[in-house]
Amino acid sequence: MLFHVRMDVNIPSALPEAEAAAIKAREKAYSQELQSSGQWRHLWRIAGQYSNISIFDTASIDELHTLLSTLPLFPYMKIEVMPLCRHPSSIRSNDL
């Protein structure tokens, strides 16, 4: 199943910089593992914001929830999820 996911990050300014840097490093490593596995298919930064738009490919919404809730930055995120399905007018057959 494909999901469009928007993640807006808001790290509290009171969080010590060293702790924030460590969380970001863990987030980067985990996100790259998920991208390598094919579960995190696309990742784009939203220009001018600490936000991204991503496409996830998981077997279920429960699996997606598990992946998102184990992101190191999850406690500092607002997340919007939209399930996707193929549009009948799409000319692409390789984007499933």
Side-chain angles (χ1 to χ4, degrees):
M1 299 177 68
L2 295 178
F3 297 93
H4 170 279
V5 179
R6 177 181 174 138
M7 293 178 251
D8 299 310
V9 181
N10 185 18
I11 298 173
S13 59
L15 190 69
E17 183 56 38
E19 187 176 342
I23 293 169
K24 291 175 193 178
R26 289 195 316 273
E27 178 86 10
K28 181 177 182 176
Y30 183 50
S31 72
Q32 290 177 344
E33 286 176 29
L34 293 173
Q35 289 173 71
S36 293
S37 77
Q39 293 171 298
W40 195 327
R41 298 231 338 228
H42 299 282
L43 172 59
W44 294 280
R45 169 78 67 205
I46 299 174
Q49 300 179 33
Y50 195 176
S51 303
N52 73 73
I53 298 290
S54 296
I55 303 296
F56 283 84
D57 187 359
T58 61
S60 68
I61 189 72
D62 291 326
E63 181 181 7
L64 177 66
H65 177 76
T66 298
L67 293 179
L68 294 175
S69 63
T70 56
L71 290 169
L73 284 171
F74 179 77
Y76 312 109
M77 289 182 178
K78 175 185 170 200
I79 299 175
E80 295 177 20
V81 176
M82 290 181 272
L84 300 175
C85 59
R86 183 170 250 323
H87 194 286
S89 298
S90 176
I91 62 169
R92 308 262 184 246
S93 61
N94 62 347
D95 61 353
L96 297 174

